[in-house]
Amino acid sequence: MSRSHLVLLLGLIIVFHYRSDRLLGHTPSPHIMLPQARKDFEIQTLNVVDMRWGVRDEATDDHMGTELCLKELRLCQQLSTGPSFVSLLSHKYGYIAFPRVIAADEFEPLMTQVEDPETVRLFHKWYTRDDNAVPPAYILTSISTHIPEYISKDKGMQKGAKEQWTKESEQMQDALESAATRVFDQEKARKYIISVTETEVEEGLLKAEDFIARQAIWLRRNIEDIDRQESSWELSRYTECKFNLGAQKVERAQRMLQELKEHRMERRLNPDHIFHYNVQWVGKHGIEPDTSAEQRKYLTRLCKDFTDIMISLVTQAIQNRKLLHDRLTEECMQHIRLCQAKCAEFHGRTETLERIKSYLLDQSAKAPLVVHGISGTGKTSILAMTAKLCKTWLPKTPKLVLRFLGTTVESSSVLPLLQSLVQQLSILGNQSLRAELTIDLLKVQLNLLLEQGTAECPLVVILDSLDQLDTSHHGHSLMWLPASLPPHCKIVMSSLPEEKYETFPALKKLFPDEDRYIQVPELGQRDALSIVSLWAEKRNRKLTPPQMDILLSTFRKCPTPLFLKMSFDEAMLWRSFDPPSRTVLQTTVRTAVDFLFSRLEKLHSRILVCRALGYLTLANNGITEAELDDVLSCDDDVLNDVYAYWIPPMRRLPPLLLVRIRTDIDQYIVERGADGARVLNWYHRQFTEAAHERYCADDAQNKRLHGNLADFFAGTWANGRKKPYSNAKGDLIEEDRYVTSQPLHFGEDDYNIRALNNLPYHRMHAGNVDLLKKECLANVHFCVAKLHPLPVEALLDDFTAAKAAFPGEPLIKCILEALLLSRKGLQTDPAQFVPQLLGRLKDNETTAEFKRCLREYSSKVWFEPDVNILERPGGQLLHSIHVHASDIDMMTIMSCGSYVITVCSGLNEIKIWNIKIDPPRLLRNVTGKGQCKKVAFCHGDEWVAMEVDSVIKVETLKTGKQCMDIPFKGDAAAKAFCVAGKRRDTIVTFFGKQVNIYDFTNGSLLQTLTSSSDEAKFGAMSNPSGRDRYVGMTSDDQYFLSVLDLDSMTLMPAWRGCEKYTEEDWDGEFFEVPIRAFGIPPDETHIVYLSWFTNEIVFADFNGNRLRCVRVDEMRDIHTIKSVNFTADGRFIFYIEERDVVFMNYSTLQEEDRLEHKHDVTGACTVDMVTVVTIAEDNNLRVWDRSRDKKGTTHKQARTLDPIDDLWDFFPLGNQDAIFVTERFKGAVGLYDVGRLEYRAVRKLSWMKGLGYVEFYRGDNRSVVMYLDRKVYLFDLEKMDVCFVFPGIVSEQSVFRVTERKQLLVTSRGGKNLKLYNVTNGCVDAIIKTGHTKNINGLEVNEPGTLAAVSLIKGPIVLMNLVTYSRMYEISARTYRGDDSARSVDYPMMLFTRDSTRFFFGAYKGLDRTGDVNHLICWDLEQKQELFELCDRETQAEYEEVKSNKSTKITYVYRLDDDRIMTTCLDNVVRVYDVKTGKLLHRLTGHRTTVELALSDVTPYFLTYGRLQEENCIFLWDKATCSRVATFSLDETVKALYWSDDGTFFYTPRYGRWNQRVSDVIKWTIHNGNRPTPRPDVKQSPPLYSNEAILSPLIINAPNKVEKGYQPEVGDPDTDDEVFDTVDEVHDTDDKVPDMDDEDFEDNSG
């Protein structure tokens, strides 16, 4: 148990009478669990046990039993949260213990009063004067010294020996009691005459501090008629009686018991903690609950009283400790206590301390100081003394931060360590800085806080044992350490020097200055003598001169503090009278450790010690004492050995046995943090290695021990499950071991991390793959539980290790590959484990059972697509890793292909990835560099060059040590750089017409060159690319190419890549043709470049002379190629083409391979044509293996009809499970059956050239509105044809809305008024004038279609009555735009409540306490007044306070139901407001990109979609609680989300890929638990097409283009004249190059 951590240890010291075994045998063991305490306390199940159970004869031989019990009692007082002492004292006073030690100045006077010569002889036989004790004392010799048969295995001989010892000890005890009363006064004589029971009561209650005594409990039983019972053996077990004692002894025992109970205990205890139980003697045995109902009631009441008071006191104590000790204070106190303990035994090391002092006083030192030495050299003690003395060394009192790493939970891993340091430094600096949640941000905070040191108050940080950090978050790389220190700040650290521990080599790379390292020297002989003398004095011991010589001469053979400490501990067992044969020491640490182990085995039983230390050694990062106790209690080899001497009433390990072992090795055990608990582990690695060799050398035995540990963490024998064992007779018996249960989680958000981390580890090392899969890796509950509190990598590590251990297990391999592809989704929401794995695992015999478990797993809501849309394992894609939360700007690869660097300038992130390990891992984050534009490997791939602002920063790859800064001034858009040379030791910068060439080895400028071309200037778009000798680049406008020769330092003249061209349609004007991409092949004999408009591949020499040119008709279209790259051998060329990476044979220019992505590819790298790394717009880093077979496509194909290539618009049709769809540019329309996932009808459209594109708008369930060149049509879906043309025209920027009253609302042709078409007869119902000359730019209609709100550009909002066709009134622009009433709003937000009493509209004016931010105003339609404003003022103020670029600006408003509205905002948070009060009800967070909503009145849910590719995630929310209930992360984007009419499913149209895959529609099923949502019995509308229909193309006969002089049509009362521009705008003269031929867009007849 922890001595320095908040531990819930229900330490129970019970003073038993001799019938306690009968009591416990009939009493259910109280079992107290406090789940609410698990987050802050280590829980040990409370079992009531006798401290003397299981004590072996070898252990009683040294008379240490009473002392160990008292030591454990004191330990409970230190650690217990709540009661530490419970007494069952009743009628028996107890036996008087024979003293093990008697001071010489007491022993000798006592002997003068012993008259019997035989008794005097016995005293001198058993007691020997030990002058090594200070002061001298007489020591009771071990029993076996004079009676060897006492520990004999022969039962007969042992019995006789015990009888002899009992007789002789009782004779001495009687004489001692008599002499003490005559020689000493009453108080001094007490220790010789009081019982062990009273000794324990004194220690646990009477002498305890008040706060401990107030927590004590007394369960006081009174047998009312016990005095009337005849003396008997049975009665002697309850009280002292004449059966075995004389009358005088009985009388004295009863008198002393009465004094103890009535006058001492009752006065000290809280009266409320004394529970009285009056019972009668029953039968022969006194307490017989089997036959007495009253006694059964008594025992039941006693157990209930005990349980209730314990829960009450412990719960209150927990609350009190939480109030008194916050987590940071408790953390600091633990390190302070450890520091004090180390300092208390420190001596010497003056030279080392002086060197540390010099460092602290050195104002020029800018790097940390590292103290190093092999294990056991005393580094921790040296740093502890540094912490103590630094306040006296420095002229001004410093701020001190101290951590002994690995000794607490928070100091065992980098992330909590940095959070703890940041919190403490923030308090020391009087700052209210909240610790971040990532290593990168914490490092930034740490560097900032280290600057608080001043000359008047310097800062000293001490970090001991860097090697003790675990490896999570790359802790051993030490990249979190500051590279240099600010003034008045010093850091002192220590580490082991061996390379295998990783930290020291990392330190050497980070801080190469040898002056910053201090090696701890060997301990000198003089220091050793002083240290030993000091230690002995503190233990009140000394050694004889010959013994001291033995100790020091042995130390010279291994002069380390650890060896000295072990030798000293052994020497402290020597007595002054011991012969030379007993004063022998080992000569090495290893032999000393082995000797200690052998002594433990002899004293405590070999099997018990072997198992206890074996479990400790095999444990995964340590084991808690409670866990070790439980595991040993289930090990029947141990219990059979322990219970060979006595069988207690419950089959568990007697607690004192583990306490005794722990006591003997306590100084070599460390308590550290792991998985949120306090665990035991070896303090020195020599102990670990020795224990492995001694106890863990047998693989078969190790597997059994790992299996036992796994059984514990699986809870195999918990919760009342009885474990079978064979007794001495060979009978098979089952008994409860009362071990702690191991649920996967204790509460909703409180997970059992110990079990989640240790169960798979031990099952794997036990070699039991079936249980490993059943309980862990193929157990859905386990996997989901582990993903919640731990990073995805923790689960991946389990699978990766299992795959290596069991390579023949296909299911483990399949799940691992699926997890690797699901990493991004699982990081977003661990609950996605089920849908992600279902979507990625193939349907086969291997996965069938696991997929069945996935479907049956959850009782919660989840959803999945009806077709496979996720990338599945297999094929060439190995890994897909989400590397940044925003756009990846670039990627580069090391020349050997081991490391890849990714850059995200939007988040100021640079990450270095090791892609050669499986799975790829982050090597380190490059932090503190600001916004980076470009990175490159250099200096033989050992360094990294980064463009940051006005410098190119160069640092080492693995450690991040700064190497140099190269100046790089100029505007970011006007400069570029690249690396070149054989080892990439040359850097070339470009700015304007100037080229600078630098040497990386020393940072010197080699040459400055100037371009001779006036037209060609260099800049950020030049994209320079370097080889060994040559560097190629374009001009900034990408019209010219140039080559730099590094050997001759010559910049060759620039040449135009492609000649200008002219287009007939553009009046003969000439246009430049840019160079889309270029590259220099590895042989550096020529350059290859592409023209993105003329579709040419050009091969040219370095002077621009064309060697070869490949036109479009000789290869595939290259207009989408983004880059050209070559493989290292020059045999292949690869380039990015939209969503593909294409590999081509360089000689034949024939395509060899293609890596298909679901998003546009933005970068690709390869070294060997086998391993390929790509990045795409979804911000994933993908690793491919082209040596693997390709995966067959799984894309769904339409059955009969030719599908629409690229879906664009979608209109759900009521109660039909069908939608109306249109193609991009409206070349085709169709009806799509969502239920069957196929088309019912498709029709191609064509119209006159020059009229633009057809647009469609939602109508009713049987028709849609069609718009073409300002004419409006009603398109009949039953005929898939135009049914009529509405008269007149509408404005070019018209709004369209079909209401419930069958009216189509559009804007008049001048754009100033509202025109109402009747969709039933095609006529104009009315025109409602706004009364303004400003154009309409927004329209909102209430649900019944009776009211409309029209917003005007830079004008008011006009409210209209659609029943009376009248203008009601207007809301002035100043109301919602404030002083900026002339400001134009493109998309005004407007919304009516369902009851049409209130109207919400967007406001664009300033708010109280915040700046201008778009918000909402609630308007009372009847009272014509503003009611309130809706905005998240609190969050907006927080953003502005920290100068964040986030904003609560509202982008769209939705009606959730009658009482609530929802808004989407620029900070990607969805907010829910009360429509009656404007109160902010909920902030729905989780999205990282722009959010879209999908709502339905008939479903209990709503959907949100983070639609940008870097997120691409759908959330399902509970409408009533606004809580997220399910998540799904997609691999590719979808266009929108639509609910079915009955709300039981939703569907998402999926984008197509030109020339590769058609668009389609995905149907999503919502599951409630393991069942899909049932569909209500709703009458369906008649289907428009019950069978697939093949329709002929439709030609739309549209009028000529509307131009100036247009005359209104008959039946169109629209008099709103439009204003034509005076300048003919046939061409957009700002666009020099058209995107595509007109025919490609307008003539879509197919």
Side-chain angles (χ1 to χ4, degrees), residues 482-521:
S484 63
L485 301 179
H488 311 295
C489 173
K490 295 293 187 292
I491 296 180
V492 183
M493 306 175 292
S494 72
S495 171
L496 291 172
E498 291 88 344
E499 286 192 10
K500 61 182 179 180
Y501 304 125
E502 299 179 342
T503 51
F504 195 69
L507 286 168
K508 282 288 190 179
K509 292 178 180 178
L510 283 172
F511 314 110
D513 185 357
E514 290 296 332
D515 291 340
R516 296 280 73 85
Y517 293 85
I518 297 177
Q519 181 175 359
V520 179

Side-chain angles (χ1 to χ4, degrees), residues 156 349 369 453 782 822 980 1088 1181 1288 1340 1411-1412 1438 1544 1555 1639:
R349 298 297 192 186
L369 180 70
F782 178 91
S822 304
V1088 180
L1181 178 75
E1340 178 65 17
D1412 288 357
E1438 291 176 359
T1544 58
N1555 303 321
E1639 291 183 359

Side-chain angles (χ1 to χ4, degrees), residues 101 147 195 240 251 270 276 374 380 709 748 751 780 874-875 898 930 940 1292 1409 1434 1517 1524 1607:
V101 179
I147 312 176
S195 68
E240 283 77 14
E251 186 276 329
N270 182 339
H276 297 272
I374 62 173
T380 298
L709 287 164
E748 187 169 346
Y751 290 87
V780 184
S898 297
E1292 289 185 339
R1409 299 187 294 113
E1434 180 182 353
W1517 305 81
R1524 194 199 322 176
Q1607 295 298 316

Side-chain angles (χ1 to χ4, degrees), residues 370-373 379 405 412 414 417 463-472 474-481 493-511 517 685 958-959:
V370 179
V371 178
H372 62 95
K379 299 180 296 298
L405 304 186
S412 299
V414 173
L417 170 66
L463 303 174
D464 175 59
S465 302
L466 293 172
D467 49 277
Q468 289 292 332
L469 285 171
D470 63 34
T471 56
S472 63
H474 310 283
H476 286 185
S477 72
L478 304 183
M479 292 311 305
W480 49 274
L481 285 173
M493 306 175 292
S494 72
S495 171
L496 291 172
E498 291 88 344
E499 286 192 10
K500 61 182 179 180
Y501 304 125
E502 299 179 342
T503 51
F504 195 69
L507 286 168
K508 282 288 190 179
K509 292 178 180 178
L510 283 172
F511 314 110
Y517 293 85
R685 283 185 170 84
K958 294 186 178 180
T959 66

Side-chain angles (χ1 to χ4, degrees), residues 557-575:
K557 299 176 183 178
C558 183
T560 67
L562 175 60
F563 182 70
L564 180 63
K565 181 67 169 63
M566 295 193 68
S567 300
F568 170 79
D569 287 342
E570 183 65 27
M572 285 297 98
L573 300 177
W574 298 344
R575 283 81 55 90

Side-chain angles (χ1 to χ4, degrees), residues 546-607:
Q547 290 173 345
M548 182 64 77
D549 290 342
I550 293 172
L551 175 59
L552 294 178
S553 63
T554 305
F555 165 72
R556 284 195 292 270
K557 299 176 183 178
C558 183
T560 67
L562 175 60
F563 182 70
L564 180 63
K565 181 67 169 63
M566 295 193 68
S567 300
F568 170 79
D569 287 342
E570 183 65 27
M572 285 297 98
L573 300 177
W574 298 344
R575 283 81 55 90
S576 59
F577 54 83
D578 281 337
S581 60
R582 293 197 70 247
T583 56
V584 177
L585 295 173
Q586 305 302 308
T587 57
T588 66
V589 172
R590 174 57 66 85
T591 56
V593 172
D594 284 334
F595 182 78
L596 172 63
F597 288 163
S598 64
R599 183 158 55 82
L600 292 175
E601 293 164 11
K602 180 180 179 181
L603 183 61
H604 304 294
S605 156
R606 174 171 171 76
I607 185 65

Side-chain angles (χ1 to χ4, degrees), residues 307-435:
T307 302
D308 290 346
I309 189 65
M310 288 295 287
I311 290 177
S312 174
L313 293 175
V314 171
T315 303
Q316 183 60 47
I318 290 173
Q319 298 303 320
N320 292 342
R321 294 195 70 165
K322 283 183 177 180
L323 293 174
L324 292 174
H325 300 287
D326 63 89
R327 193 167 184 173
L328 177 61
T329 302
E330 191 66 34
E331 172 73 7
C332 295
M333 290 301 298
Q334 290 182 63
H335 295 288
I336 291 171
R337 286 191 287 265
L338 180 57
C339 178
Q340 292 171 339
K342 291 294 181 182
C343 290
E345 297 191 346
F346 186 87
H347 188 81
R349 298 297 192 186
T350 305
E351 181 182 348
T352 302
L353 291 174
E354 281 297 322
R355 291 185 63 186
I356 297 175
K357 176 182 177 181
S358 298
Y359 163 76
L360 294 178
L361 293 171
D362 184 359
Q363 296 298 320
S364 64
K366 301 300 181 185
L369 180 70
V370 179
V371 178
H372 62 95
I374 62 173
S375 180
T377 52
K379 299 180 296 298
T380 298
S381 296
I382 291 172
L383 264 63
M385 282 303 294
T386 300
K388 178 180 179 180
L389 296 174
C390 69
K391 295 181 179 181
T392 62
W393 289 343
L394 295 172
K396 299 293 183 180
T397 302
K399 299 175 182 177
L400 177 64
V401 177
L402 174 64
R403 293 293 186 275
F404 295 97
L405 304 186
T407 63
T408 65
V409 177
E410 281 75 15
S411 67
S412 299
S413 183
V414 173
L415 182 61
L417 170 66
L418 288 179
Q419 289 173 331
S420 174
L421 291 175
V422 165
Q423 289 170 359
Q424 185 177 356
L425 287 167
S426 177
I427 293 172
L428 290 175
N430 295 317
Q431 301 182 45
S432 57
L433 195 63
R434 184 172 59 184

